[in-house]
PDB file of all heavy atoms in Angstrom:
ATOM      1  N   TRP Z   1     337.736  69.453 336.756  1.00  0.00           N
ATOM      2  CA  TRP Z   1     336.418  68.812 336.802  1.00  0.00           C
ATOM      3  C   TRP Z   1     336.537  67.294 336.700  1.00  0.00           C
ATOM      4  O   TRP Z   1     335.831  66.564 337.406  1.00  0.00           O
ATOM      5  CB  TRP Z   1     335.549  69.322 335.650  1.00  0.00           C
ATOM      6  CG  TRP Z   1     334.129  68.820 335.708  1.00  0.00           C
ATOM      7  CD1 TRP Z   1     333.085  69.428 336.309  1.00  0.00           C
ATOM      8  CD2 TRP Z   1     333.623  67.594 335.143  1.00  0.00           C
ATOM      9  NE1 TRP Z   1     331.935  68.659 336.168  1.00  0.00           N
ATOM     10  CE2 TRP Z   1     332.247  67.540 335.457  1.00  0.00           C
ATOM     11  CE3 TRP Z   1     334.195  66.553 334.411  1.00  0.00           C
ATOM     12  CZ2 TRP Z   1     331.429  66.474 335.063  1.00  0.00           C
ATOM     13  CZ3 TRP Z   1     333.389  65.481 334.024  1.00  0.00           C
ATOM     14  CH2 TRP Z   1     332.028  65.452 334.341  1.00  0.00           C
ATOM     15  N   THR Z   2     337.431  66.820 335.855  1.00  0.00           N
ATOM     16  CA  THR Z   2     337.546  65.380 335.619  1.00  0.00           C
ATOM     17  C   THR Z   2     337.966  64.621 336.872  1.00  0.00           C
ATOM     18  O   THR Z   2     337.428  63.551 337.171  1.00  0.00           O
ATOM     19  CB  THR Z   2     338.554  65.100 334.486  1.00  0.00           C
ATOM     20  OG1 THR Z   2     338.124  65.756 333.291  1.00  0.00           O
ATOM     21  CG2 THR Z   2     338.651  63.601 334.219  1.00  0.00           C
ATOM     22  N   LEU Z   3     338.909  65.164 337.617  1.00  0.00           N
ATOM     23  CA  LEU Z   3     339.350  64.501 338.840  1.00  0.00           C
ATOM     24  C   LEU Z   3     338.197  64.394 339.832  1.00  0.00           C
ATOM     25  O   LEU Z   3     337.972  63.340 340.439  1.00  0.00           O
ATOM     26  CB  LEU Z   3     340.520  65.256 339.466  1.00  0.00           C
ATOM     27  CG  LEU Z   3     341.069  64.667 340.778  1.00  0.00           C
ATOM     28  CD1 LEU Z   3     341.490  63.221 340.598  1.00  0.00           C
ATOM     29  CD2 LEU Z   3     342.238  65.520 341.289  1.00  0.00           C
ATOM     30  N   GLY Z   4     337.454  65.479 339.993  1.00  0.00           N
ATOM     31  CA  GLY Z   4     336.310  65.461 340.890  1.00  0.00           C
ATOM     32  C   GLY Z   4     335.238  64.496 340.427  1.00  0.00           C
ATOM     33  O   GLY Z   4     334.618  63.797 341.238  1.00  0.00           O
ATOM     34  N   ALA Z   5     335.020  64.440 339.111  1.00  0.00           N
ATOM     35  CA  ALA Z   5     334.027  63.529 338.551  1.00  0.00           C
ATOM     36  C   ALA Z   5     334.421  62.076 338.788  1.00  0.00           C
ATOM     37  O   ALA Z   5     333.582  61.228 339.134  1.00  0.00           O
ATOM     38  CB  ALA Z   5     333.865  63.789 337.053  1.00  0.00           C
ATOM     39  N   LEU Z   6     335.701  61.772 338.615  1.00  0.00           N
ATOM     40  CA  LEU Z   6     336.183  60.403 338.862  1.00  0.00           C
ATOM     41  C   LEU Z   6     336.054  60.019 340.329  1.00  0.00           C
ATOM     42  O   LEU Z   6     335.667  58.892 340.656  1.00  0.00           O
ATOM     43  CB  LEU Z   6     337.639  60.281 338.416  1.00  0.00           C
ATOM     44  CG  LEU Z   6     337.867  60.097 336.913  1.00  0.00           C
ATOM     45  CD1 LEU Z   6     339.340  60.314 336.565  1.00  0.00           C
ATOM     46  CD2 LEU Z   6     337.428  58.705 336.461  1.00  0.00           C
ATOM     47  N   LEU Z   7     336.362  60.949 341.213  1.00  0.00           N
ATOM     48  CA  LEU Z   7     336.221  60.677 342.641  1.00  0.00           C
ATOM     49  C   LEU Z   7     334.757  60.466 343.012  1.00  0.00           C
ATOM     50  O   LEU Z   7     334.414  59.550 343.775  1.00  0.00           O
ATOM     51  CB  LEU Z   7     336.812  61.830 343.455  1.00  0.00           C
ATOM     52  CG  LEU Z   7     338.338  61.932 343.464  1.00  0.00           C
ATOM     53  CD1 LEU Z   7     338.783  63.256 344.079  1.00  0.00           C
ATOM     54  CD2 LEU Z   7     338.953  60.764 344.232  1.00  0.00           C
ATOM     55  N   GLY Z   8     333.890  61.318 342.458  1.00  0.00           N
ATOM     56  CA  GLY Z   8     332.469  61.163 342.714  1.00  0.00           C
ATOM     57  C   GLY Z   8     331.942  59.850 342.178  1.00  0.00           C
ATOM     58  O   GLY Z   8     331.166  59.155 342.841  1.00  0.00           O
ATOM     59  N   GLY Z   9     332.384  59.481 340.982  1.00  0.00           N
ATOM     60  CA  GLY Z   9     331.967  58.213 340.398  1.00  0.00           C
ATOM     61  C   GLY Z   9     332.492  57.028 341.187  1.00  0.00           C
ATOM     62  O   GLY Z   9     331.780  56.042 341.397  1.00  0.00           O
ATOM     63  N   ALA Z  10     333.736  57.126 341.655  1.00  0.00           N
ATOM     64  CA  ALA Z  10     334.320  56.041 342.449  1.00  0.00           C
ATOM     65  C   ALA Z  10     333.540  55.835 343.739  1.00  0.00           C
ATOM     66  O   ALA Z  10     333.239  54.702 344.134  1.00  0.00           O
ATOM     67  CB  ALA Z  10     335.781  56.349 342.759  1.00  0.00           C
ATOM     68  N   GLY Z  11     333.200  56.932 344.398  1.00  0.00           N
ATOM     69  CA  GLY Z  11     332.423  56.836 345.628  1.00  0.00           C
ATOM     70  C   GLY Z  11     331.062  56.216 345.400  1.00  0.00           C
ATOM     71  O   GLY Z  11     330.602  55.387 346.196  1.00  0.00           O
ATOM     72  N   ALA Z  12     330.411  56.599 344.300  1.00  0.00           N
ATOM     73  CA  ALA Z  12     329.086  56.055 343.984  1.00  0.00           C
ATOM     74  C   ALA Z  12     329.160  54.555 343.705  1.00  0.00           C
ATOM     75  O   ALA Z  12     328.282  53.791 344.120  1.00  0.00           O
ATOM     76  CB  ALA Z  12     328.494  56.796 342.792  1.00  0.00           C
ATOM     77  N   VAL Z  13     330.184  54.125 342.989  1.00  0.00           N
ATOM     78  CA  VAL Z  13     330.342  52.700 342.675  1.00  0.00           C
ATOM     79  C   VAL Z  13     330.610  51.895 343.948  1.00  0.00           C
ATOM     80  O   VAL Z  13     330.028  50.824 344.142  1.00  0.00           O
ATOM     81  CB  VAL Z  13     331.483  52.496 341.653  1.00  0.00           C
ATOM     82  CG1 VAL Z  13     331.807  51.008 341.511  1.00  0.00           C
ATOM     83  CG2 VAL Z  13     331.090  53.077 340.295  1.00  0.00           C
ATOM     84  N   VAL Z  14     331.481  52.413 344.810  1.00  0.00           N
ATOM     85  CA  VAL Z  14     331.755  51.721 346.075  1.00  0.00           C
ATOM     86  C   VAL Z  14     330.476  51.610 346.899  1.00  0.00           C
ATOM     87  O   VAL Z  14     330.172  50.556 347.470  1.00  0.00           O
ATOM     88  CB  VAL Z  14     332.851  52.451 346.881  1.00  0.00           C
ATOM     89  CG1 VAL Z  14     333.001  51.820 348.265  1.00  0.00           C
ATOM     90  CG2 VAL Z  14     334.179  52.403 346.148  1.00  0.00           C
ATOM     91  N   GLY Z  15     329.713  52.712 346.965  1.00  0.00           N
ATOM     92  CA  GLY Z  15     328.470  52.696 347.716  1.00  0.00           C
ATOM     93  C   GLY Z  15     327.450  51.740 347.138  1.00  0.00           C
ATOM     94  O   GLY Z  15     326.711  51.086 347.871  1.00  0.00           O
ATOM     95  N   HIS Z  16     327.426  51.639 345.811  1.00  0.00           N
ATOM     96  CA  HIS Z  16     326.479  50.726 345.168  1.00  0.00           C
ATOM     97  C   HIS Z  16     326.820  49.265 345.466  1.00  0.00           C
ATOM     98  O   HIS Z  16     325.925  48.455 345.707  1.00  0.00           O
ATOM     99  CB  HIS Z  16     326.496  50.949 343.653  1.00  0.00           C
ATOM    100  CG  HIS Z  16     325.510  50.101 342.916  1.00  0.00           C
ATOM    101  ND1 HIS Z  16     324.173  50.408 342.852  1.00  0.00           N
ATOM    102  CD2 HIS Z  16     325.655  48.937 342.239  1.00  0.00           C
ATOM    103  CE1 HIS Z  16     323.532  49.479 342.152  1.00  0.00           C
ATOM    104  NE2 HIS Z  16     324.424  48.570 341.770  1.00  0.00           N
ATOM    105  N   ILE Z  17     328.092  48.946 345.461  1.00  0.00           N
ATOM    106  CA  ILE Z  17     328.515  47.564 345.683  1.00  0.00           C
ATOM    107  C   ILE Z  17     328.508  47.206 347.173  1.00  0.00           C
ATOM    108  O   ILE Z  17     328.115  46.102 347.547  1.00  0.00           O
ATOM    109  CB  ILE Z  17     329.914  47.335 345.087  1.00  0.00           C
ATOM    110  CG1 ILE Z  17     329.886  47.540 343.572  1.00  0.00           C
ATOM    111  CG2 ILE Z  17     330.422  45.924 345.410  1.00  0.00           C
ATOM    112  CD1 ILE Z  17     331.247  47.472 342.904  1.00  0.00           C
ATOM    113  N   PHE Z  18     328.920  48.168 348.013  1.00  0.00           N
ATOM    114  CA  PHE Z  18     328.983  47.928 349.456  1.00  0.00           C
ATOM    115  C   PHE Z  18     328.162  48.980 350.211  1.00  0.00           C
ATOM    116  O   PHE Z  18     328.726  49.845 350.901  1.00  0.00           O
ATOM    117  CB  PHE Z  18     330.438  47.964 349.936  1.00  0.00           C
ATOM    118  CG  PHE Z  18     331.347  47.005 349.225  1.00  0.00           C
ATOM    119  CD1 PHE Z  18     332.332  47.475 348.355  1.00  0.00           C
ATOM    120  CD2 PHE Z  18     331.224  45.637 349.423  1.00  0.00           C
ATOM    121  CE1 PHE Z  18     333.184  46.602 347.702  1.00  0.00           C
ATOM    122  CE2 PHE Z  18     332.074  44.747 348.773  1.00  0.00           C
ATOM    123  CZ  PHE Z  18     333.047  45.226 347.907  1.00  0.00           C
ATOM    124  N   PRO Z  19     326.843  48.934 350.106  1.00  0.00           N
ATOM    125  CA  PRO Z  19     326.001  49.957 350.741  1.00  0.00           C
ATOM    126  C   PRO Z  19     325.877  49.768 352.248  1.00  0.00           C
ATOM    127  O   PRO Z  19     325.464  48.712 352.726  1.00  0.00           O
ATOM    128  CB  PRO Z  19     324.635  49.750 350.057  1.00  0.00           C
ATOM    129  CG  PRO Z  19     324.627  48.292 349.712  1.00  0.00           C
ATOM    130  CD  PRO Z  19     326.047  47.943 349.362  1.00  0.00           C
ATOM    131  N   VAL Z  20     326.237  50.780 353.003  1.00  0.00           N
ATOM    132  CA  VAL Z  20     326.159  50.696 354.461  1.00  0.00           C
ATOM    133  C   VAL Z  20     324.715  50.576 354.925  1.00  0.00           C
ATOM    134  O   VAL Z  20     324.432  50.006 355.984  1.00  0.00           O
ATOM    135  CB  VAL Z  20     326.827  51.936 355.099  1.00  0.00           C
ATOM    136  CG1 VAL Z  20     326.046  53.210 354.786  1.00  0.00           C
ATOM    137  CG2 VAL Z  20     326.985  51.756 356.605  1.00  0.00           C
ATOM    138  N   PHE Z  21     323.762  51.093 354.138  1.00  0.00           N
ATOM    139  CA  PHE Z  21     322.350  51.046 354.520  1.00  0.00           C
ATOM    140  C   PHE Z  21     321.761  49.644 354.418  1.00  0.00           C
ATOM    141  O   PHE Z  21     320.728  49.361 355.012  1.00  0.00           O
ATOM    142  CB  PHE Z  21     321.527  51.991 353.631  1.00  0.00           C
ATOM    143  CG  PHE Z  21     321.992  53.412 353.644  1.00  0.00           C
ATOM    144  CD1 PHE Z  21     321.918  54.194 352.495  1.00  0.00           C
ATOM    145  CD2 PHE Z  21     322.512  53.993 354.794  1.00  0.00           C
ATOM    146  CE1 PHE Z  21     322.345  55.511 352.494  1.00  0.00           C
ATOM    147  CE2 PHE Z  21     322.952  55.312 354.815  1.00  0.00           C
ATOM    148  CZ  PHE Z  21     322.869  56.071 353.659  1.00  0.00           C
ATOM    149  N   TYR Z  22     322.390  48.779 353.643  1.00  0.00           N
ATOM    150  CA  TYR Z  22     321.828  47.455 353.381  1.00  0.00           C
ATOM    151  C   TYR Z  22     322.811  46.335 353.716  1.00  0.00           C
ATOM    152  O   TYR Z  22     322.930  45.344 353.000  1.00  0.00           O
ATOM    153  CB  TYR Z  22     321.394  47.343 351.915  1.00  0.00           C
ATOM    154  CG  TYR Z  22     320.528  48.495 351.467  1.00  0.00           C
ATOM    155  CD1 TYR Z  22     320.974  49.382 350.484  1.00  0.00           C
ATOM    156  CD2 TYR Z  22     319.274  48.718 352.032  1.00  0.00           C
ATOM    157  CE1 TYR Z  22     320.190  50.453 350.083  1.00  0.00           C
ATOM    158  CE2 TYR Z  22     318.491  49.787 351.636  1.00  0.00           C
ATOM    159  CZ  TYR Z  22     318.954  50.653 350.669  1.00  0.00           C
ATOM    160  OH  TYR Z  22     318.180  51.717 350.275  1.00  0.00           O
ATOM    161  N   GLY Z  23     323.523  46.508 354.812  1.00  0.00           N
ATOM    162  CA  GLY Z  23     324.434  45.462 355.260  1.00  0.00           C
ATOM    163  C   GLY Z  23     325.580  45.193 354.309  1.00  0.00           C
ATOM    164  O   GLY Z  23     326.103  44.075 354.265  1.00  0.00           O
ATOM    165  N   PHE Z  24     325.991  46.215 353.530  1.00  0.00           N
ATOM    166  CA  PHE Z  24     327.107  46.114 352.589  1.00  0.00           C
ATOM    167  C   PHE Z  24     326.862  45.053 351.511  1.00  0.00           C
ATOM    168  O   PHE Z  24     327.803  44.520 350.929  1.00  0.00           O
ATOM    169  CB  PHE Z  24     328.421  45.823 353.323  1.00  0.00           C
ATOM    170  CG  PHE Z  24     328.774  46.877 354.336  1.00  0.00           C
ATOM    171  CD1 PHE Z  24     328.509  46.684 355.680  1.00  0.00           C
ATOM    172  CD2 PHE Z  24     329.340  48.078 353.933  1.00  0.00           C
ATOM    173  CE1 PHE Z  24     328.821  47.671 356.619  1.00  0.00           C
ATOM    174  CE2 PHE Z  24     329.656  49.069 354.851  1.00  0.00           C
ATOM    175  CZ  PHE Z  24     329.393  48.860 356.199  1.00  0.00           C
ATOM    176  N   LYS Z  25     325.597  44.772 351.241  1.00  0.00           N
ATOM    177  CA  LYS Z  25     325.235  43.796 350.216  1.00  0.00           C
ATOM    178  C   LYS Z  25     324.466  44.512 349.111  1.00  0.00           C
ATOM    179  O   LYS Z  25     323.268  44.726 349.217  1.00  0.00           O
ATOM    180  CB  LYS Z  25     324.376  42.673 350.825  1.00  0.00           C
ATOM    181  CG  LYS Z  25     324.092  41.529 349.873  1.00  0.00           C
ATOM    182  CD  LYS Z  25     323.279  40.452 350.564  1.00  0.00           C
ATOM    183  CE  LYS Z  25     322.995  39.289 349.601  1.00  0.00           C
ATOM    184  NZ  LYS Z  25     322.169  38.232 350.252  1.00  0.00           N
ATOM    185  N   GLY Z  26     325.165  44.915 348.060  1.00  0.00           N
ATOM    186  CA  GLY Z  26     324.542  45.693 347.005  1.00  0.00           C
ATOM    187  C   GLY Z  26     324.632  45.040 345.644  1.00  0.00           C
ATOM    188  O   GLY Z  26     324.618  43.818 345.519  1.00  0.00           O
ATOM    189  N   GLY Z  27     324.728  45.883 344.614  1.00  0.00           N
ATOM    190  CA  GLY Z  27     324.809  45.394 343.244  1.00  0.00           C
ATOM    191  C   GLY Z  27     326.245  45.262 342.784  1.00  0.00           C
ATOM    192  O   GLY Z  27     327.182  45.228 343.599  1.00  0.00           O
ATOM    193  N   LYS Z  28     326.434  45.212 341.469  1.00  0.00           N
ATOM    194  CA  LYS Z  28     327.772  44.983 340.925  1.00  0.00           C
ATOM    195  C   LYS Z  28     328.347  46.196 340.208  1.00  0.00           C
ATOM    196  O   LYS Z  28     329.423  46.127 339.617  1.00  0.00           O
ATOM    197  CB  LYS Z  28     327.749  43.768 339.995  1.00  0.00           C
ATOM    198  CG  LYS Z  28     327.374  42.487 340.732  1.00  0.00           C
ATOM    199  CD  LYS Z  28     327.372  41.277 339.833  1.00  0.00           C
ATOM    200  CE  LYS Z  28     326.995  40.028 340.626  1.00  0.00           C
ATOM    201  NZ  LYS Z  28     326.934  38.823 339.780  1.00  0.00           N
ATOM    202  N   GLY Z  29     327.633  47.307 340.245  1.00  0.00           N
ATOM    203  CA  GLY Z  29     328.207  48.566 339.797  1.00  0.00           C
ATOM    204  C   GLY Z  29     328.139  48.867 338.316  1.00  0.00           C
ATOM    205  O   GLY Z  29     328.759  49.835 337.865  1.00  0.00           O
ATOM    206  N   ILE Z  30     327.391  48.079 337.541  1.00  0.00           N
ATOM    207  CA  ILE Z  30     327.385  48.295 336.091  1.00  0.00           C
ATOM    208  C   ILE Z  30     326.620  49.560 335.698  1.00  0.00           C
ATOM    209  O   ILE Z  30     327.108  50.381 334.917  1.00  0.00           O
ATOM    210  CB  ILE Z  30     326.809  47.066 335.361  1.00  0.00           C
ATOM    211  CG1 ILE Z  30     327.777  45.895 335.503  1.00  0.00           C
ATOM    212  CG2 ILE Z  30     326.584  47.370 333.877  1.00  0.00           C
ATOM    213  CD1 ILE Z  30     329.167  46.166 334.976  1.00  0.00           C
ATOM    214  N   LEU Z  31     325.419  49.734 336.226  1.00  0.00           N
ATOM    215  CA  LEU Z  31     324.667  50.945 335.902  1.00  0.00           C
ATOM    216  C   LEU Z  31     325.376  52.188 336.422  1.00  0.00           C
ATOM    217  O   LEU Z  31     325.456  53.207 335.730  1.00  0.00           O
ATOM    218  CB  LEU Z  31     323.253  50.864 336.487  1.00  0.00           C
ATOM    219  CG  LEU Z  31     322.246  49.980 335.763  1.00  0.00           C
ATOM    220  CD1 LEU Z  31     320.911  49.994 336.492  1.00  0.00           C
ATOM    221  CD2 LEU Z  31     322.050  50.446 334.319  1.00  0.00           C
ATOM    222  N   ALA Z  32     325.893  52.096 337.644  1.00  0.00           N
ATOM    223  CA  ALA Z  32     326.616  53.230 338.215  1.00  0.00           C
ATOM    224  C   ALA Z  32     327.862  53.551 337.387  1.00  0.00           C
ATOM    225  O   ALA Z  32     328.112  54.702 337.025  1.00  0.00           O
ATOM    226  CB  ALA Z  32     326.994  52.932 339.666  1.00  0.00           C
ATOM    227  N   GLY Z  33     328.629  52.511 337.071  1.00  0.00           N
ATOM    228  CA  GLY Z  33     329.830  52.721 336.265  1.00  0.00           C
ATOM    229  C   GLY Z  33     329.516  53.186 334.864  1.00  0.00           C
ATOM    230  O   GLY Z  33     330.208  54.048 334.302  1.00  0.00           O
ATOM    231  N   GLY Z  34     328.450  52.641 334.283  1.00  0.00           N
ATOM    232  CA  GLY Z  34     328.060  53.035 332.934  1.00  0.00           C
ATOM    233  C   GLY Z  34     327.678  54.491 332.851  1.00  0.00           C
ATOM    234  O   GLY Z  34     328.002  55.186 331.881  1.00  0.00           O
ATOM    235  N   MET Z  35     326.976  54.984 333.875  1.00  0.00           N
ATOM    236  CA  MET Z  35     326.604  56.398 333.895  1.00  0.00           C
ATOM    237  C   MET Z  35     327.823  57.289 334.069  1.00  0.00           C
ATOM    238  O   MET Z  35     327.920  58.363 333.466  1.00  0.00           O
ATOM    239  CB  MET Z  35     325.602  56.653 335.021  1.00  0.00           C
ATOM    240  CG  MET Z  35     325.001  58.056 334.998  1.00  0.00           C
ATOM    241  SD  MET Z  35     324.066  58.299 333.474  1.00  0.00           S
ATOM    242  CE  MET Z  35     323.776  60.068 333.539  1.00  0.00           C
ATOM    243  N   LEU Z  36     328.762  56.847 334.884  1.00  0.00           N
ATOM    244  CA  LEU Z  36     330.003  57.603 335.061  1.00  0.00           C
ATOM    245  C   LEU Z  36     330.708  57.803 333.733  1.00  0.00           C
ATOM    246  O   LEU Z  36     331.165  58.910 333.413  1.00  0.00           O
ATOM    247  CB  LEU Z  36     330.921  56.859 336.047  1.00  0.00           C
ATOM    248  CG  LEU Z  36     332.372  57.347 336.128  1.00  0.00           C
ATOM    249  CD1 LEU Z  36     332.421  58.789 336.616  1.00  0.00           C
ATOM    250  CD2 LEU Z  36     333.184  56.433 337.044  1.00  0.00           C
ATOM    251  N   LEU Z  37     330.789  56.760 332.931  1.00  0.00           N
ATOM    252  CA  LEU Z  37     331.474  56.848 331.639  1.00  0.00           C
ATOM    253  C   LEU Z  37     330.769  57.813 330.696  1.00  0.00           C
ATOM    254  O   LEU Z  37     331.409  58.560 329.957  1.00  0.00           O
ATOM    255  CB  LEU Z  37     331.565  55.464 330.987  1.00  0.00           C
ATOM    256  CG  LEU Z  37     332.252  54.367 331.801  1.00  0.00           C
ATOM    257  CD1 LEU Z  37     332.505  53.139 330.934  1.00  0.00           C
ATOM    258  CD2 LEU Z  37     333.552  54.870 332.393  1.00  0.00           C
ATOM    259  N   ILE Z  38     329.437  57.784 330.709  1.00  0.00           N
ATOM    260  CA  ILE Z  38     328.665  58.700 329.868  1.00  0.00           C
ATOM    261  C   ILE Z  38     328.991  60.148 330.214  1.00  0.00           C
ATOM    262  O   ILE Z  38     329.109  61.007 329.338  1.00  0.00           O
ATOM    263  CB  ILE Z  38     327.161  58.436 330.022  1.00  0.00           C
ATOM    264  CG1 ILE Z  38     326.793  57.092 329.382  1.00  0.00           C
ATOM    265  CG2 ILE Z  38     326.330  59.560 329.401  1.00  0.00           C
ATOM    266  CD1 ILE Z  38     325.366  56.664 329.616  1.00  0.00           C
ATOM    267  N   MET Z  39     329.131  60.417 331.501  1.00  0.00           N
ATOM    268  CA  MET Z  39     329.375  61.791 331.938  1.00  0.00           C
ATOM    269  C   MET Z  39     330.828  62.212 331.800  1.00  0.00           C
ATOM    270  O   MET Z  39     331.129  63.405 331.742  1.00  0.00           O
ATOM    271  CB  MET Z  39     328.907  61.951 333.379  1.00  0.00           C
ATOM    272  CG  MET Z  39     327.425  61.680 333.565  1.00  0.00           C
ATOM    273  SD  MET Z  39     326.811  62.170 335.181  1.00  0.00           S
ATOM    274  CE  MET Z  39     326.908  63.962 335.060  1.00  0.00           C
ATOM    275  N   LEU Z  40     331.731  61.241 331.753  1.00  0.00           N
ATOM    276  CA  LEU Z  40     333.152  61.576 331.629  1.00  0.00           C
ATOM    277  C   LEU Z  40     333.525  62.004 330.220  1.00  0.00           C
ATOM    278  O   LEU Z  40     334.057  63.093 330.003  1.00  0.00           O
ATOM    279  CB  LEU Z  40     334.008  60.375 332.045  1.00  0.00           C
ATOM    280  CG  LEU Z  40     334.219  60.135 333.528  1.00  0.00           C
ATOM    281  CD1 LEU Z  40     334.999  58.849 333.739  1.00  0.00           C
ATOM    282  CD2 LEU Z  40     334.951  61.308 334.182  1.00  0.00           C
ATOM    283  N   ASP Z  41     333.255  61.125 329.246  1.00  0.00           N
ATOM    284  CA  ASP Z  41     333.659  61.416 327.869  1.00  0.00           C
ATOM    285  C   ASP Z  41     332.916  60.480 326.921  1.00  0.00           C
ATOM    286  O   ASP Z  41     332.854  59.269 327.174  1.00  0.00           O
ATOM    287  CB  ASP Z  41     335.169  61.228 327.709  1.00  0.00           C
ATOM    288  CG  ASP Z  41     335.684  61.734 326.374  1.00  0.00           C
ATOM    289  OD1 ASP Z  41     335.529  61.007 325.362  1.00  0.00           O
ATOM    290  OD2 ASP Z  41     336.243  62.848 326.339  1.00  0.00           O
ATOM    291  N   TRP Z  42     332.381  61.009 325.835  1.00  0.00           N
ATOM    292  CA  TRP Z  42     331.572  60.201 324.923  1.00  0.00           C
ATOM    293  C   TRP Z  42     332.386  59.080 324.274  1.00  0.00           C
ATOM    294  O   TRP Z  42     331.859  58.008 323.969  1.00  0.00           O
ATOM    295  CB  TRP Z  42     330.943  61.080 323.845  1.00  0.00           C
ATOM    296  CG  TRP Z  42     331.919  61.688 322.861  1.00  0.00           C
ATOM    297  CD1 TRP Z  42     332.539  62.885 322.958  1.00  0.00           C
ATOM    298  CD2 TRP Z  42     332.367  61.093 321.640  1.00  0.00           C
ATOM    299  NE1 TRP Z  42     333.371  63.101 321.875  1.00  0.00           N
ATOM    300  CE2 TRP Z  42     333.272  62.017 321.040  1.00  0.00           C
ATOM    301  CE3 TRP Z  42     332.101  59.893 320.988  1.00  0.00           C
ATOM    302  CZ2 TRP Z  42     333.900  61.751 319.831  1.00  0.00           C
ATOM    303  CZ3 TRP Z  42     332.736  59.639 319.771  1.00  0.00           C
ATOM    304  CH2 TRP Z  42     333.617  60.558 319.205  1.00  0.00           C
ATOM    305  N   ARG Z  43     333.693  59.299 324.099  1.00  0.00           N
ATOM    306  CA  ARG Z  43     334.525  58.271 323.467  1.00  0.00           C
ATOM    307  C   ARG Z  43     334.710  57.072 324.397  1.00  0.00           C
ATOM    308  O   ARG Z  43     334.657  55.913 323.958  1.00  0.00           O
ATOM    309  CB  ARG Z  43     335.882  58.865 323.078  1.00  0.00           C
ATOM    310  CG  ARG Z  43     335.803  59.911 321.984  1.00  0.00           C
ATOM    311  CD  ARG Z  43     337.066  60.738 321.902  1.00  0.00           C
ATOM    312  NE  ARG Z  43     337.230  61.592 323.072  1.00  0.00           N
ATOM    313  CZ  ARG Z  43     338.232  62.458 323.228  1.00  0.00           C
ATOM    314  NH1 ARG Z  43     339.173  62.555 322.291  1.00  0.00           N
ATOM    315  NH2 ARG Z  43     338.301  63.201 324.325  1.00  0.00           N
ATOM    316  N   ILE Z  44     334.934  57.355 325.675  1.00  0.00           N
ATOM    317  CA  ILE Z  44     335.062  56.271 326.651  1.00  0.00           C
ATOM    318  C   ILE Z  44     333.753  55.504 326.748  1.00  0.00           C
ATOM    319  O   ILE Z  44     333.727  54.272 326.779  1.00  0.00           O
ATOM    320  CB  ILE Z  44     335.450  56.841 328.034  1.00  0.00           C
ATOM    321  CG1 ILE Z  44     336.815  57.534 327.956  1.00  0.00           C
ATOM    322  CG2 ILE Z  44     335.480  55.730 329.083  1.00  0.00           C
ATOM    323  CD1 ILE Z  44     337.214  58.240 329.243  1.00  0.00           C
ATOM    324  N   ALA Z  45     332.653  56.243 326.793  1.00  0.00           N
ATOM    325  CA  ALA Z  45     331.329  55.621 326.897  1.00  0.00           C
ATOM    326  C   ALA Z  45     330.995  54.804 325.655  1.00  0.00           C
ATOM    327  O   ALA Z  45     330.420  53.710 325.751  1.00  0.00           O
ATOM    328  CB  ALA Z  45     330.268  56.698 327.113  1.00  0.00           C
ATOM    329  N   LEU Z  46     331.359  55.315 324.490  1.00  0.00           N
ATOM    330  CA  LEU Z  46     331.053  54.625 323.235  1.00  0.00           C
ATOM    331  C   LEU Z  46     331.729  53.261 323.176  1.00  0.00           C
ATOM    332  O   LEU Z  46     331.110  52.257 322.798  1.00  0.00           O
ATOM    333  CB  LEU Z  46     331.494  55.481 322.047  1.00  0.00           C
ATOM    334  CG  LEU Z  46     331.218  54.893 320.652  1.00  0.00           C
ATOM    335  CD1 LEU Z  46     329.716  54.736 320.435  1.00  0.00           C
ATOM    336  CD2 LEU Z  46     331.826  55.784 319.573  1.00  0.00           C
ATOM    337  N   VAL Z  47     332.992  53.209 323.551  1.00  0.00           N
ATOM    338  CA  VAL Z  47     333.726  51.936 323.534  1.00  0.00           C
ATOM    339  C   VAL Z  47     333.125  50.957 324.541  1.00  0.00           C
ATOM    340  O   VAL Z  47     332.851  49.792 324.220  1.00  0.00           O
ATOM    341  CB  VAL Z  47     335.217  52.160 323.835  1.00  0.00           C
ATOM    342  CG1 VAL Z  47     335.936  50.818 323.999  1.00  0.00           C
ATOM    343  CG2 VAL Z  47     335.876  52.971 322.715  1.00  0.00           C
TER     344      VAL Z  47
END
């Protein structure tokens, strides 16, 4: 599960920063990355 979750999170972060729908001009990935950490492990998210 963890490998799949990391791949899914990586794809979401790349899409957020370089969105094809908006001329590859997106955000900086903090909310996307922050949510990934919450779902991965509470210790990683806590730090």
Side-chain angles (χ1 to χ4, degrees):
W1 186 91
T2 301
L3 179 56
L6 280 167
L7 287 169
V13 170
V14 173
H16 183 79
I17 297 174
F18 304 110
V20 66
F21 303 145
Y22 310 115
F24 301 99
K25 187 178 180 181
K28 297 181 180 178
I30 292 302
L31 283 179
M35 188 63 191
L36 168 62
L37 303 191
I38 290 173
M39 299 191 69
L40 280 176
D41 190 280
W42 68 269
R43 293 164 292 183
I44 298 174
L46 181 63
V47 172

